[in-house]
Amino acid sequence: MTTEALEGLRVVQTLVANPRQWRMLLCLMNGPQSTAALGPAGVSDRWWLTLGALWGLWRHRLIVFHVKQRVWTLSPTGQSLRPVFTAILACTHTENGGQYR
């Protein structure tokens, strides 16, 4: 990891409270997602956990909801953490023998 990515990781760790939120941020790195699409990233049969995770990320201004398109995206602050997300995905890809999970 680069120094920039490590510093970004420290910042994100203070804002992101649980693994569900991490998975949502990684999903949003690929582009806009609907609430329903983010449900499987959390716990789909407990939709309130998904909404709670989204609310926490929104409260820290890491994500934005676009009303007309009805999708969530990374905010400019969330976009600035892209090197951190890229490093996490690279580590995950290496640890799983080239398989994303």
Side-chain angles (χ1 to χ4, degrees):
M1 278 187 156
T2 65
T3 305
E4 179 182 277
L6 285 173
E7 182 58 32
L9 181 59
R10 285 188 201 104
V11 170
V12 173
Q13 284 178 325
T14 62
L15 300 175
V16 179
N18 61 53
R20 189 176 308 105
Q21 290 178 331
W22 279 104
R23 286 190 297 265
M24 287 180 177
L25 287 171
L26 293 173
C27 287
L28 288 169
M29 191 177 97
N30 295 326
Q33 303 285 331
S34 69
T35 303
L38 290 171
V43 180
S44 59
D45 63 335
R46 296 184 182 156
W47 54 269
W48 62 90
L49 295 174
T50 300
L51 293 179
L54 287 169
W55 181 81
L57 294 172
W58 176 81
R59 188 173 52 105
H60 289 299
R61 299 180 185 192
L62 294 174
I63 60 173
V64 176
F65 185 72
H66 297 279
V67 177
K68 287 186 179 184
Q69 294 88 8
R70 300 184 71 148
V71 295
W72 294 92
T73 61
L74 291 174
S75 69
T77 304
Q79 288 286 349
S80 70
L81 298 170
R82 191 170 285 275
V84 174
F85 303 142
T86 303
I88 290 169
L89 287 174
C91 290
T92 303
H93 188 264
T94 302
E95 287 178 4
N96 291 328
Q99 300 285 325
Y100 285 111
R101 293 185 182 171

